[in-house]
Amino acid sequence: MHKERLSMSEFKIDVAVIGCGYWGKNLVRNFHEIGALKAVCDFDSTTAEKFAQQYEVQALSLQEILNANDIQAVVIAAPAAQHFNIAKQALEKGKHVFVEKPLSLSVKEGEELCEIAKQNDLILMVGHLLHYHSAYQSLKTLVEDGTLGDLRYIYSNRLNLGKVRREEDILWSFAPHDISMILDLMGEEPQNVDAKGGFYLSENIADVTTTHLTFSNNRKAHIFVSWLHPFKEQKLVVVGSKAMAVFIDGEPWNQKLQLYKHNIDITDETAAPLIDKADVEYVDVPESEPLKNECLHFLESINTKAQPITNGEEGLRVLKVLEASTSAIEKHNEQSKLLCA
């Protein structure tokens, strides 16, 4: 993130949050605490009024927000299928946009949003929250400073029982965070994408998916996401030639980032590799609220006119992987149906 973070009192931007539901309510709270919340909007007017009264701001319709000259930025936490239309309207009205993941539901739509933002010199930011998690930032430092050595492979698990959705499948609901982190750590887009899905609660919506990514120099990554899992697990494992790191968000702060400096001696190619296991080391990670960091970063990007870490182009790269994964899942699913016919 930017090295010089502005204090909350330095932000002169009024924000409207569109969508006050499951995740939107957290954005409403954070922008209120920062002092930037001007208005809220929800398609359930009762919900909007409740939050407006709680935080002493206006409850406005979408059109009223778009037409309000004193609202410089909008934060979109509506259902994913509505992201493109709302973001496009807001950008065309000259407002900066922070849209929750995914940026949209197609690469074509994502490209259009990026182009509108660029033409109008506006900030377009995507809510890939874990980039703003201090444990992930520390993990990225371990990669960049050579502590892990050369990257070999990354795998991530994002598993839970629910929240089952009907407007998007598990891939589009859970995997954007992991795809975003993996692309960032690898420093490039994958050369090949393959994916498979399991359809159990609905014939057309995947409940479980595994995505396999191949990068240059034979580096690999895979992503396992499911909302049909007996317990919650959020784990990212990064394996390098010198050490291995594990980011487990469900652990206490002093154990969220774990480092394993195992040594594998393969100098004698005629003998089996010698493995010297090391005890786990816990990396000191400063405690902070990732969502608060993300909200501040959005406002700071507007103030400084610097591109945010998770800008529209970054969101577009994630969309490309999501779209390629969906195509692969559909292909494998059709093949399976033919074999079972």
Side-chain angles (χ1 to χ4, degrees):
M1 273 187 276
H2 301 135
K3 298 297 182 182
E4 298 297 327
R5 172 173 287 169
L6 302 175
S7 68
M8 293 183 189
S9 62
E10 291 179 277
F11 293 119
K12 307 294 184 183
I13 299 160
D14 288 323
V15 171
V17 176
I18 302 170
C20 305
Y22 175 75
W23 187 247
K25 66 179 185 292
N26 299 316
L27 288 159
V28 170
R29 173 179 58 81
N30 271 280
F31 279 106
H32 169 74
E33 291 174 356
I34 292 169
L37 186 66
K38 179 74 172 181
V40 294
C41 172
D42 195 275
F43 295 101
D44 180 346
S45 58
T46 302
T47 299
E49 287 292 344
K50 182 186 77 172
F51 282 100
Q53 291 178 16
Q54 180 179 349
Y55 294 111
E56 298 181 336
V57 296
Q58 295 175 293
L60 301 176
S61 69
L62 174 59
Q63 203 57 51
E64 286 173 329
I65 287 172
L66 294 175
N67 292 332
N69 293 327
D70 57 345
I71 294 175
Q72 295 89 36
V74 300
V75 177
I76 302 169
Q82 300 171 14
H83 286 184
F84 170 72
N85 286 331
I86 298 175
K88 181 180 179 180
Q89 291 181 71
L91 289 168
E92 290 176 338
K93 287 288 188 176
K95 301 187 188 301
H96 303 284
V97 171
F98 169 8
V99 57
E100 270 304 326
K101 58 81 186 170
L103 172 60
S104 66
L105 291 182
S106 77
V107 170
K108 182 179 180 181
E109 290 178 346
E111 289 174 337
E112 185 175 349
L113 292 178
C114 289
E115 184 59 30
I116 296 171
K118 182 179 179 181
Q119 289 178 351
N120 292 280
D121 196 25
L122 294 167
I123 294 297
L124 173 60
M125 177 168 154
V126 187
H128 291 150
L129 176 68
L130 292 174
H131 281 266
Y132 306 94
H133 197 302
S134 55
Y136 174 74
Q137 292 165 2
S138 297
L139 169 60
K140 187 174 180 181
T141 298
L142 293 177
V143 173
E144 292 177 339
D145 68 11
T147 299
L148 302 187
D150 297 328
L151 288 191
R152 287 175 169 165
Y153 77 89
I154 301 175
Y155 83 78
S156 66
N157 291 345
R158 189 166 300 274
L159 317 167
N160 204 356
L161 185 60
K163 181 182 180 183
V164 179
R165 298 181 182 272
R166 282 292 169 259
E167 67 274 6
E168 62 196 62
D169 65 10
I170 184 64
L171 176 75
W172 288 77
S173 182
F174 277 26
H177 289 303
D178 304 287
I179 294 170
S180 179
M181 288 188 291
I182 288 170
L183 297 186
D184 186 43
L185 294 174
M186 289 295 194
E188 65 179 9
E189 296 181 41
Q191 297 175 340
N192 184 66
V193 177
D194 193 17
K196 293 183 179 181
F199 300 76
Y200 306 109
L201 301 181
S202 172
E203 186 176 332
N204 301 313
I205 299 176
D207 306 295
V208 179
T209 64
T210 54
T211 301
H212 303 270
L213 310 176
T214 301
F215 297 86
S216 62
N217 300 320
N218 198 37
R219 297 177 301 165
K220 308 283 187 179
H222 70 257
I223 302 161
F224 173 30
V225 292
S226 172
W227 55 38
L228 283 182
H229 201 73
F231 55 87
K232 186 175 183 178
E233 180 178 315
Q234 296 176 354
K235 181 186 294 184
L236 182 74
V237 177
V238 183
V239 176
S241 59
K242 293 181 180 179
M244 307 171 185
V246 186
F247 170 24
I248 309 177
D249 199 16
E251 293 292 334
W253 276 95
N254 61 351
Q255 297 179 22
K256 285 185 185 294
L257 184 56
Q258 304 171 9
L259 182 65
Y260 294 84
K261 294 182 178 178
H262 301 317
N263 182 56
I264 304 175
D265 187 352
I266 54 174
T267 54
D268 185 354
E269 295 184 359
T270 64
L274 297 176
I275 299 177
D276 181 17
K277 291 186 177 181
D279 291 334
V280 61
E281 299 177 21
Y282 295 107
V283 180
D284 186 33
V285 173
E287 187 171 348
S288 64
E289 184 179 358
L291 185 57
K292 178 65 61 61
N293 297 338
E294 186 177 42
C295 294
L296 286 166
H297 186 67
F298 176 55
L299 298 177
E300 183 182 1
S301 297
I302 296 171
N303 268 301
T304 62
K305 298 185 178 180
Q307 283 296 311
I309 296 170
T310 55
N311 62 9
E313 295 295 333
E314 191 273 339
L316 190 57
R317 290 191 288 273
V318 172
L319 280 182
K320 290 178 181 178
V321 175
L322 288 168
E323 226 175 59
S325 300
T326 296
S327 296
I329 290 169
E330 291 173 348
K331 179 180 177 181
H332 286 301
N333 196 34
E334 287 302 315
Q335 289 174 344
S336 296
K337 289 179 180 179
L338 289 173
L339 290 173
C340 295

